[in-house]
């Protein structure tokens, strides 16, 4: 955020700031330590961006997740197929916390081993079977995240700024500070494919608020000068189904409320 507006206060309706699309390429640390880094453009001090009280990924070193594997030299947490879909979890670290009380994230190489897994009342030693391995659940989360970024890209394009792969990453100029903020958030998260896992609430809120600022509550484009944060957005229930699911919205109407504690 400071890379966009320096020490100025967030004022989404204020004038657009030049150079608003620069983010660090490897932004993963920024996502995990968002409280310190303020990496995303946060629309107002009234909107909550705080980590959940039970957030824990900031207590882990990068290598604890990324290098905990037979294939640790690869630095990969997951294996993917040619389409970019997750086919296996490689990190053996996850199950230490994700024992199934909430999510169950067991690595492929842990199949056949004994791990502490939730039986409905307690985590007890259990032999891991193939269906417990976590690829499908992680792929589901990753897909929702990528779909939400695509929905944001389409809305930024409608606002007159089309994302492109080379610097400065957009054709066209923002019309107000909040529009530039949406471009910044898109560019940062587009280059941070792990954000849905590193810090999902932060990623969801940044994408939500960027969409909220650029659209009206009914999903139509909001013109500069008439933009407000509604706390509610409407996406297309057909094209944006995975995004709506990931953001916690209504799959029938596409209406989604902002995630707050
Ligand atoms: C809680 C475990 C965890 C921690 C801690 C963690 N990561 Fe990740 N990281 C993941 C997961 C899961 C993915 C998602 C892989 C995917 O879907 O592509 C990921 C993805 C990434 C990617 C994208 C990889 C790619 O395929 O393009 C990078 C880069 C990355 N992490 C760097 C870091 C850095 C740097 C840190 C420390 C600041 C860190 N991670 C801490 C779990 C973790
Ligand atoms: C130190 C304990 C710990 C470890 C180790 C850990 N996580 Fe988490 N993780 C959590 C907690 C607590 C949450 C819930 C907080 C949140 O969602 O922000 C969470 C949330 C998540 C979420 C979002 C919630 C969901 O159900 O989709 C994903 C995805 C995730 N972790 C993936 C991973 C992966 C993959 C690994 C291993 C590479 C990992 N985590 C390792 C504690 C941990």
């Amino acid at each position: 955020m400071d890379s966009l507006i320096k020490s100025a206060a967030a004022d989404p309706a204020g004038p657009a700031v030049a150079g608003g699309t620069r983010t660090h390429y490897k932004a993963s640390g920024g996502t995990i330590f968002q409280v310190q880094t303020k990496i995303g453009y946060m629309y107002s001090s009234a909107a909550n961006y705080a980590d959940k009280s039970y957030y824990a990924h900031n207590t882990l070193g990068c290598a604890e997740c990324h290098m905990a594997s037979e294939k640790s030299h690869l630095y990969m947490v997951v294996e993917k197929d040619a389409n970019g879909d997750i086919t296996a979890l490689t990190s053996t670290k996850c199950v230490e916390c994700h024992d199934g009380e909430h999510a169950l994230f067991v690595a492929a190489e842990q199949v056949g081993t004994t791990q502490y897994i939730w039986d409905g009342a307690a985590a007890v030693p259990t032999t891991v079977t193939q269906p417990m391995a976590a690829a499908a659940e992680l792929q589901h989360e990753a897909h929702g995240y990528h779909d939400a970024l695509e929905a944001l890209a389409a809305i930024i394009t409608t606002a007159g700024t089309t994302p492109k792969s080379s610097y400065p990453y957009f054709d066209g100029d923002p019309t107000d500070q909040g529009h530039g903020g949406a471009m910044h958030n898109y560019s940062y998260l587009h280059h941070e494919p792990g954000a849905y896992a590193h810090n999902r609430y932060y990623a969801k809120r940044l994408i939500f608020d960027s969409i909220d600022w650029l659209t009206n509550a009914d999903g139509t484009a909001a013109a500069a000068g008439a933009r407000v944060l509604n706390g509610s957005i409407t996406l297309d229930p057909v094209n944006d189904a995975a995004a709506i699911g990931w953001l916690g919205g209504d799959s029938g109407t596409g209406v989604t409320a902002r995630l707050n504690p």
Side-chain angles (χ1 to χ4, degrees), residues 54-57 60 65 77 91 94 97-98 103 105 141 200-201:
Y54 51 83
Y55 180 61
H57 287 174
L60 297 163
C65 287
V77 189
S91 175
C94 319
C97 299
H98 295 282
F105 291 147
E141 294 296 312
R200 65 167 161 162
Y201 281 99

Side-chain angles (χ1 to χ4, degrees), residues 27-53:
S28 311
T31 310
I32 293 175
F33 301 107
Q34 62 97 355
V35 173
Q36 287 81 17
T37 60
K38 299 185 170 55
I39 189 168
Y41 176 81
M42 293 173 261
Y43 280 79
S44 88
S45 52
N48 179 36
Y49 295 95
D51 290 330
K52 291 281 186 186
S53 58

